[in-house]
């Protein structure tokens, strides 16, 4: 039953486009994703290259950027997604070989640190990165204020520089940042072990951030969780890059939900949290064989990992 509920939930989610939490590292593509990546590789990248990048939006022109083997030239190829279109040259740019080596090192590092990042979405742009050792990783519509978003900005500047044959687009901005960005990929913590979505919504006339988490289909323990909290900043963080405390607390809460399986044998937990200072505080739980449903109403000052963990422990003790 839990698996059926999960399938139906994923079908519903696939009708929308979502951003994923803190996509700070690249994704290791599935076998299906690798098929696309290899197809783009043959069409849009030079065979004699050190490394490469493909920009693949859902509906618009595809671009491939190749770094020459001696790291001193960037070559761009483009291809319309219209039927029967062919790939055509889109520009070439001579660059400082030291910058080129830093670019190759950054791509190699980011690809090497890729992991299975749980991503669901339709419209958007996928970036494929081809390392010098032949490995591939990707990023889909990176979220703002993450390492992947900075990498996306770099790729955009590379494309502009090649298209306009104007190296100053990258000279003034990137040479001093490449090593720092590579280090950021090395030091990025692993992503949460579940699908995660963020979206700004209306709730009772107020703007709220809605964060949702769902287990991958093949997990034996399933969660389907959601939190609504006041949206002072855009979903995910603010212009300074600071994380929304509601988001980080919710991620910790979702990780802690596994305690239901460990202590009671429950295989499916559905959880809904509303952050509301004006509503009565409440921690409700209903359960049937193998399933628990949690409904929490929490004032903002009590939205802490410690409080939510303590409330779950109380509920589990009652369940037993």
């Amino acid at each position: 039953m839990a698996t059926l509920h999960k399938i139906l939930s994923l079908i519903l989610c696939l009708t929308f486009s979502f951003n994923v939490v803190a996509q700070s590292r690249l994704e290791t593509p599935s076998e299906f994703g690798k098929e696309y990546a290899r197809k783009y590789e043959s069409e849009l990248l030079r065979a004699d290259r050190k490394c490469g990048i493909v920009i693949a939006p859902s509906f618009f022109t595809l671009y491939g950027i190749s770094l020459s083997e001696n790291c001193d030239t960037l070559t761009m190829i483009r291809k319309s997604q219209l039927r029967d279109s062919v790939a055509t040259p889109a520009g070439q740019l001579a660059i400082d070989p030291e910058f080129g080596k830093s670019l190759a090192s950054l791509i190699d590092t980011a690809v090497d640190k890729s992991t299975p990042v749980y991503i669901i979405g339709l419209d958007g742009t996928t970036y494929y990165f081809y390392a010098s050792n032949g490995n591939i990783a990707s990023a889909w519509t990176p979220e703002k204020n993450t390492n992947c978003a900075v990498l996306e900005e770099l790729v955009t500047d590379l494309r502009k520089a090649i298209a306009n044959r104007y190296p100053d687009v990258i000279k003034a901005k990137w040479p001093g940042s490449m090593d720092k960005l590579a280090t950021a990929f090395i030091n990025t913590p692993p992503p949460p072990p579940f699908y995660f979505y963020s979206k700004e919504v209306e709730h009772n006339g107020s703007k709220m951030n809605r964060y949702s988490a769902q287990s991958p289909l093949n997990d034996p323990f399933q969660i389907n969780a959601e939190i609504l909290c006041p949206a002072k900043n855009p979903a995910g963080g603010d212009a300074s890059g600071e994380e929304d405390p509601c988001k980080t607390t919710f991620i910790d809460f979702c990780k802690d939900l596994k305690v239901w399986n460990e202590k009671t044998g429950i295989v499916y937990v559905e959880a809904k949290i509303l952050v509301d200072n004006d509503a009565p505080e409440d921690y409700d739980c209903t359960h049937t064989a193998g399933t628990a449903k949690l409904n929490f109403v929490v004032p903002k000052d009590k939205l802490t990992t410690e409080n939510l963990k303590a409330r779950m422990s109380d509920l589990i003790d009652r369940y037993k």
Side-chain angles (χ1 to χ4, degrees), residues 143 198-200 208-211 231 233-237 244 247:
E143 188 176 358
S198 61
K199 189 175 183 181
E200 190 173 282
M208 306 283 277
N209 285 339
R210 183 178 69 197
Y211 302 116
N233 300 313
D244 181 355
K247 175 202 280 187

Side-chain angles (χ1 to χ4, degrees), residues 12 26 34 41 59 76 80 84 113 165-167 174 208 241 272 295 315:
L12 177 62
L26 300 187
K34 285 180 181 177
E41 179 181 27
F59 303 106
M76 187 160 68
S80 168
D84 299 327
K113 295 299 177 182
R165 293 174 175 79
Y166 188 55
W174 292 105
M208 306 283 277
K272 292 187 177 181
N295 283 282
L315 292 171

Side-chain angles (χ1 to χ4, degrees), residues 38-45 62 77 79 85 87-88:
R38 295 300 182 195
K39 177 176 177 289
Y40 293 142
E41 179 181 27
S42 63
E43 291 181 328
L44 298 167
L45 297 179
L62 303 164
I77 298 171
K79 181 179 182 293
S85 63
T88 59

Side-chain angles (χ1 to χ4, degrees), residues 97-109:
E98 291 306 311
F99 173 79
K101 290 174 184 177
S102 294
L103 177 60
S105 177
L106 169 59
I107 292 175
D108 285 351
T109 298

Side-chain angles (χ1 to χ4, degrees), residues 8 16 39 116 123 152 157 211 213 220 259 295 297:
L8 293 174
F16 301 92
K39 177 176 177 289
D123 303 348
E152 176 186 38
D157 285 347
Y211 302 116
V259 72
N295 283 282
V297 181

